[in-house]
Protein backbone atom coordinates (compact mmCIF):
# COMPACT_ATOMS: atom_id res chain seq x y z
CA UNK A 1 0.00 0.00 0.00
CA UNK A 2 2.88 2.35 0.82
CA UNK A 3 4.37 1.85 -2.66
CA UNK A 4 1.05 2.70 -4.30
CA UNK A 5 0.83 5.85 -2.19
CA UNK A 6 4.35 6.89 -3.25
CA UNK A 7 3.56 6.29 -6.93
CA UNK A 8 0.40 8.44 -6.68
CA UNK A 9 2.28 11.26 -4.90
CA UNK A 10 5.07 11.11 -7.48
CA UNK A 11 2.54 11.33 -10.32
CA UNK A 12 0.88 14.35 -8.71
CA UNK A 13 4.20 16.11 -8.16
CA UNK A 14 5.39 15.56 -11.71
CA UNK A 15 2.11 16.71 -13.20
CA UNK A 16 2.82 20.23 -11.89
CA UNK A 17 5.17 21.68 -14.47
CA UNK A 18 6.58 25.13 -15.02
CA UNK A 19 4.70 27.22 -17.54
CA UNK A 20 6.77 28.47 -20.45
CA UNK A 21 5.09 31.87 -20.23
CA UNK A 22 6.80 32.45 -16.87
CA UNK A 23 10.06 32.92 -18.84
CA UNK A 24 8.66 35.70 -21.04
CA UNK A 25 11.12 38.59 -21.08
CA UNK A 26 14.03 36.68 -19.51
CA UNK A 27 17.47 37.47 -20.88
CA UNK A 28 19.44 36.70 -22.87
CA UNK A 29 16.62 36.10 -25.35
CA UNK A 30 16.88 32.72 -27.10
CA UNK A 31 18.21 33.65 -30.55
CA UNK A 32 17.10 30.34 -32.06
CA UNK A 33 18.21 31.06 -35.63
CA UNK A 34 21.62 32.38 -34.54
CA UNK A 35 22.46 29.61 -32.06
CA UNK A 36 21.32 26.75 -34.27
CA UNK A 37 23.50 27.61 -37.24
CA UNK A 38 26.78 25.88 -38.09
CA UNK A 39 28.66 23.39 -35.91
CA UNK A 40 27.58 22.65 -32.34
CA UNK A 41 29.32 20.25 -29.97
CA UNK A 42 27.37 18.68 -27.12
CA UNK A 43 28.07 16.55 -24.04
CA UNK A 44 25.33 14.67 -22.27
CA UNK A 45 24.13 11.99 -19.92
CA UNK A 46 21.08 9.80 -19.42
CA UNK A 47 19.78 9.01 -15.94
CA UNK A 48 16.97 6.70 -14.90
CA UNK A 49 13.95 7.51 -12.70
CA UNK A 50 16.16 7.45 -9.57
CA UNK A 51 18.78 9.77 -11.18
CA UNK A 52 21.26 6.89 -11.54
CA UNK A 53 23.62 7.57 -14.44
CA UNK A 54 23.01 5.00 -17.18
CA UNK A 55 24.81 6.46 -20.22
CA UNK A 56 27.15 9.25 -21.27
CA UNK A 57 27.56 10.61 -24.77
CA UNK A 58 28.92 13.33 -27.03
CA UNK A 59 27.11 14.74 -30.03
CA UNK A 60 28.24 16.59 -33.11
CA UNK A 61 25.47 18.71 -34.58
CA UNK A 62 25.43 20.43 -37.96
CA UNK A 63 22.71 23.07 -38.18
CA UNK A 64 21.62 24.73 -41.43
CA UNK A 65 18.69 26.86 -42.54
CA UNK A 66 16.64 27.00 -45.70
CA UNK A 67 14.08 29.77 -45.23
CA UNK A 68 12.28 29.04 -41.94
CA UNK A 69 13.26 25.35 -41.98
CA UNK A 70 16.15 24.27 -39.76
CA UNK A 71 17.92 20.97 -40.39
CA UNK A 72 19.74 19.59 -37.35
CA UNK A 73 21.97 16.64 -38.26
CA UNK A 74 22.93 15.01 -34.94
CA UNK A 75 25.54 12.26 -34.53
CA UNK A 76 25.68 10.65 -31.07
CA UNK A 77 28.69 8.73 -29.72
CA UNK A 78 27.92 6.79 -26.52
CA UNK A 79 30.40 5.70 -23.85
CA UNK A 80 29.67 2.02 -24.66
CA UNK A 81 30.92 2.56 -28.23
CA UNK A 82 27.50 2.64 -29.89
CA UNK A 83 26.50 5.39 -32.29
CA UNK A 84 23.20 6.93 -33.31
CA UNK A 85 22.08 9.56 -35.80
CA UNK A 86 19.00 11.77 -35.82
CA UNK A 87 18.03 14.40 -38.37
CA UNK A 88 15.51 17.00 -37.24
CA UNK A 89 13.56 19.21 -39.63
CA UNK A 90 12.32 22.12 -37.53
CA UNK A 91 10.04 24.92 -38.67
CA UNK A 92 10.32 28.28 -36.93
CA UNK A 93 7.17 30.42 -37.12
CA UNK A 94 7.63 33.49 -34.93
CA UNK A 95 8.09 32.05 -31.43
CA UNK A 96 6.47 28.71 -32.32
CA UNK A 97 8.44 25.65 -33.38
CA UNK A 98 7.37 22.33 -34.87
CA UNK A 99 9.61 19.51 -35.90
CA UNK A 100 9.96 15.99 -37.17
CA UNK A 101 12.66 13.33 -36.96
CA UNK A 102 12.82 9.69 -38.00
CA UNK A 103 12.45 8.35 -34.45
CA UNK A 104 9.75 10.84 -33.40
CA UNK A 105 6.05 9.92 -33.70
CA UNK A 106 4.10 12.72 -35.33
CA UNK A 107 5.27 16.28 -34.84
CA UNK A 108 7.15 17.88 -31.98
CA UNK A 109 5.54 21.14 -30.92
CA UNK A 110 6.70 23.96 -28.74
CA UNK A 111 7.56 27.60 -28.35
CA UNK A 112 10.21 30.12 -27.34
CA UNK A 113 9.72 32.50 -24.41
CA UNK A 114 12.55 34.80 -23.40
CA UNK A 115 15.70 32.73 -22.88
CA UNK A 116 13.88 29.37 -22.90
CA UNK A 117 12.48 26.88 -25.42
CA UNK A 118 10.04 24.14 -24.42
CA UNK A 119 8.66 21.49 -26.69
CA UNK A 120 7.00 18.09 -26.48
CA UNK A 121 7.08 14.96 -28.60
CA UNK A 122 6.87 11.16 -28.54
CA UNK A 123 10.25 9.46 -29.01
CA UNK A 124 10.70 5.86 -30.17
CA UNK A 125 13.60 4.21 -28.33
CA UNK A 126 14.84 0.69 -29.13
CA UNK A 127 15.50 -1.25 -25.91
CA UNK A 128 16.37 -4.98 -25.95
CA UNK A 129 15.08 -5.45 -29.52
CA UNK A 130 11.74 -3.80 -28.70
CA UNK A 131 10.58 -0.30 -29.60
CA UNK A 132 9.40 1.78 -26.62
CA UNK A 133 7.51 5.07 -26.92
CA UNK A 134 8.25 7.82 -24.40
CA UNK A 135 6.62 11.22 -24.08
CA UNK A 136 9.35 13.85 -23.85
CA UNK A 137 9.16 17.22 -22.10
CA UNK A 138 12.18 19.04 -23.55
CA UNK A 139 13.55 22.35 -22.15
CA UNK A 140 16.41 24.39 -23.61
CA UNK A 141 17.95 27.25 -21.62
CA UNK A 142 20.18 29.83 -23.28
CA UNK A 143 23.11 30.59 -20.98
CA UNK A 144 24.99 32.95 -23.32
CA UNK A 145 25.89 33.31 -27.02
CA UNK A 146 27.86 30.05 -26.99
CA UNK A 147 26.07 27.72 -24.54
CA UNK A 148 22.60 26.16 -24.27
CA UNK A 149 21.68 23.60 -21.62
CA UNK A 150 18.98 21.08 -22.51
CA UNK A 151 17.06 19.01 -19.96
CA UNK A 152 14.51 16.42 -21.01
CA UNK A 153 12.23 14.23 -18.95
CA UNK A 154 10.96 10.98 -20.47
CA UNK A 155 7.56 9.69 -19.37
CA UNK A 156 5.92 6.28 -19.64
CA UNK A 157 2.33 5.79 -18.43
CA UNK A 158 2.45 9.38 -17.15
CA UNK A 159 5.38 8.70 -14.82
CA UNK A 160 8.94 10.05 -15.23
CA UNK A 161 11.25 7.16 -16.14
CA UNK A 162 14.39 8.96 -17.26
CA UNK A 163 16.19 12.23 -17.83
CA UNK A 164 18.60 13.51 -20.44
CA UNK A 165 20.90 16.44 -19.69
CA UNK A 166 22.85 18.00 -22.53
CA UNK A 167 25.25 20.93 -22.68
CA UNK A 168 25.58 22.38 -26.19
CA UNK A 169 28.40 24.69 -27.23
CA UNK A 170 28.39 26.62 -30.49
CA UNK A 171 31.66 26.23 -32.40
CA UNK A 172 33.19 28.96 -34.51
Amino acid sequence: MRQLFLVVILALLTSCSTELTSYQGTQPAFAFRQFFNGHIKAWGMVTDYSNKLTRRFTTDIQASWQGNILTLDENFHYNDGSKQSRVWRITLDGNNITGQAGDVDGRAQGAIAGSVVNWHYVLNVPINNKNWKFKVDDWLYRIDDQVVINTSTLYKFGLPVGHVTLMMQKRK
Side-chain angles (χ1 to χ4, degrees):
M1 188 62 151
R2 182 173 182 228
Q3 288 176 328
L4 179 60
F5 176 75
L6 290 174
V7 167
V8 169
I9 294 298
L10 181 62
L12 289 173
L13 288 174
T14 58
S15 67
C16 303
S17 63
T18 302
E19 290 291 325
L20 181 62
T21 55
S22 67
Y23 292 101
Q24 203 70 285
T26 58
Q27 294 294 321
F30 204 117
F32 198 82
R33 185 180 286 276
Q34 285 74 31
F35 185 81
F36 290 109
N37 193 14
H39 181 220
I40 300 162
K41 182 72 177 179
W43 299 264
M45 64 182 188
V46 179
T47 57
D48 66 13
Y49 66 95
S50 70
N51 288 322
K52 178 183 177 191
L53 179 66
T54 60
R55 279 184 119 175
R56 292 182 314 275
F57 60 93
T58 60
T59 307
D60 285 296
I61 303 167
Q62 288 298 322
S64 60
W65 288 89
Q66 189 167 34
N68 283 341
I69 309 288
L70 166 64
T71 299
L72 284 181
D73 188 351
E74 304 174 323
N75 291 292
F76 298 86
H77 305 275
Y78 293 94
N79 62 305
D80 63 4
S82 63
K83 297 178 181 180
Q84 178 186 10
S85 295
R86 176 179 299 121
V87 177
W88 281 100
R89 302 259 189 264
I90 299 169
T91 302
L92 179 62
D93 182 14
N95 284 332
N96 296 310
I97 57 171
T98 57
Q100 294 179 293
D103 55 355
V104 172
D105 271 4
R107 294 182 71 80
Q109 296 188 0
I112 304 166
S115 60
V116 178
V117 174
N118 178 229
W119 66 339
H120 303 87
Y121 49 92
V122 175
L123 184 65
N124 295 301
V125 179
I127 300 173
N128 297 329
N129 297 321
K130 186 176 178 190
N131 195 38
W132 292 77
K133 294 179 187 282
F134 297 98
K135 288 186 177 180
V136 180
D137 183 16
D138 204 350
W139 292 83
L140 294 90
Y141 303 91
R142 180 176 177 203
I143 304 304
D144 59 29
D145 288 344
Q146 301 301 311
V147 176
V148 167
I149 296 179
N150 180 198
T151 62
S152 303
T153 302
L154 284 69
Y155 294 89
K156 189 73 176 167
F157 308 117
L159 298 173
V161 295
H163 305 277
V164 178
T165 305
L166 185 69
M167 195 278 294
M168 293 181 266
Q169 184 177 39
K170 186 164 178 56
R171 299 298 193 175
K172 295 182 182 187

